[in-house]
Amino acid sequence: AMKALVQALEIKPDDVPTVLFIADAYIASKRFQQAQDLLEKAMNVYKQRRSPELAQLRHRMAKLSSAAGDAQARLEWLNAAI
């Protein structure tokens, strides 16, 4: 399934739902750096404007921070998401 998601992201790199699915898979497998790199790259597309997509990406960064044990970063990302 991961291979198909990565291929989908190659076809449409700005597809936020696909980014979120892949990030969730990375987080679940404790591949935190890969999840962070993916999310940061996706957030750079939206960095100049607020959008529902950016809020979703920031929320996922909060989830990543929590999984990595960084409670302070989690709170910062949650605040940024709203």
Side-chain angles (χ1 to χ4, degrees):
M2 184 63 130
K3 184 178 178 181
L5 287 171
V6 171
Q7 287 175 339
L9 194 59
E10 289 172 1
I11 293 168
K12 191 172 179 195
D14 62 342
D15 186 57
V16 173
T18 303
V19 170
L20 297 175
F21 282 127
I22 295 172
D24 283 343
Y26 285 155
I27 293 167
S29 61
K30 300 192 185 315
R31 294 163 60 185
F32 301 136
Q33 188 60 53
Q34 288 174 292
Q36 181 177 342
D37 293 345
L38 176 68
L39 291 166
E40 286 176 350
K41 182 178 177 183
M43 284 189 295
N44 282 334
V45 173
Y46 298 98
K47 68 180 177 181
Q48 298 299 325
R49 61 187 184 273
R50 296 190 64 78
S51 67
E53 293 84 6
L54 182 57
Q56 290 176 322
L57 293 166
R58 288 176 171 168
H59 183 265
R60 200 59 96 245
M61 284 294 287
K63 180 178 178 180
L64 167 62
S65 297
S66 180
D70 190 342
Q72 182 62 38
R74 176 182 174 265
L75 290 175
E76 291 171 8
W77 281 114
L78 287 172
N79 283 329
I82 35 181

